[in-house]
Amino acid sequence: MLESQILMLRDLPHEERPRERMMTYGAEALSNAELLAILLRTGTQNESSVHLAQRILQQAGSLRQLVDMSLSELTRIKGIGNAKAIQLKAGIELGRRLALSRHLETPIISCPRDVADLLFEQLRYLQKEHFVCLFLNTKNHVIAQETLSMGSLNSAIVHPREVFRAAIKCSSASIICAHNHPSGDPKPSPEDVQLTRRLMEAGNIVGIDVLDHIVIGDGTFVSLKEQGLI
């Protein structure tokens, strides 16, 4: 597109500008590019903030991939300096913390969906597998949470002794295991099933029940217990 053909934000009708549209219609009416444009505040000499935001999304590939981008990756995009990159990362982090703030009170686990809701925002965008344990009391309140490994999930990395050492330390009555699949597909692998069964056997010995193992994908999850795999 020729520079002379690029419509600058100041040339748009007042009612078509992102800030004005948000004031009139609410944030939910804005596109991802328009919301990003508000975070960016300004565009470049030759393009509006909306055009710049559209180009960022295009180069990132998707909104999810934008979340994963580091400051250095963002600044490699033409028109994004340190200030704009920091603005974007700060906005993304605030969104993440807002999602997590819903779970600040001691949660009660009554079904696999409760586990998924608690861990989605923490795990769904991670690029490596994180193995997490929720430690519950006798009333199924979560009394502690710990990430016990990062990387490929296998029995060499996640060992029962590490899991139950942590469970005993916090006087847990039972535990629920969870990990993410960076691919976004939560289908359990044979290794996931094998590890869970080893943990259940160890739990029977020490008297701490392993209630379930939840695999987190991108907006989806699988409960090994619900699937009849354990």
Side-chain angles (χ1 to χ4, degrees), residues 16 33 45 48 72-74 76 112 125 133-134 157 168 190 196:
E16 293 183 16
Q45 184 177 359
S48 70
S72 61
E73 288 173 328
L74 285 170
R76 286 200 286 270
Y125 297 124
C133 278
L134 300 180
I157 293 178
I168 292 168
T196 310

Side-chain angles (χ1 to χ4, degrees), residues 4-56:
S4 60
Q5 294 177 308
I6 298 177
L7 190 65
M8 300 303 290
L9 198 58
R10 62 176 176 269
D11 299 323
L12 288 172
H14 194 268
E15 66 276 9
E16 293 183 16
R17 300 176 188 178
R19 292 185 185 87
E20 285 71 18
R21 277 175 41 75
M22 180 180 281
M23 291 176 64
T24 303
Y25 304 109
E28 63 276 5
L30 273 62
S31 67
N32 291 339
E34 288 174 314
L35 291 170
L36 281 178
I38 291 174
L39 288 176
L40 291 169
R41 298 182 61 192
T42 60
T44 66
Q45 184 177 359
N46 297 315
E47 63 184 341
S48 70
S49 57
V50 175
H51 278 102
L52 177 56
Q54 289 171 337
R55 187 158 54 78
I56 292 170

Side-chain angles (χ1 to χ4, degrees), residues 143-170:
I143 56 176
Q145 174 183 327
E146 187 170 344
T147 299
L148 295 175
S149 77
M150 292 178 285
S152 298
L153 182 59
N154 59 55
S155 57
I157 293 178
V158 184
H159 196 282
R161 65 171 170 264
E162 303 299 330
V163 173
F164 290 101
R165 179 185 295 132
I168 292 168
K169 184 178 179 180
C170 61

Side-chain angles (χ1 to χ4, degrees), residues 107-119:
I108 301 174
I109 303 301
S110 59
C111 63
R113 167 59 66 177
D114 292 338
V115 179
D117 287 344
L118 181 64
L119 297 176

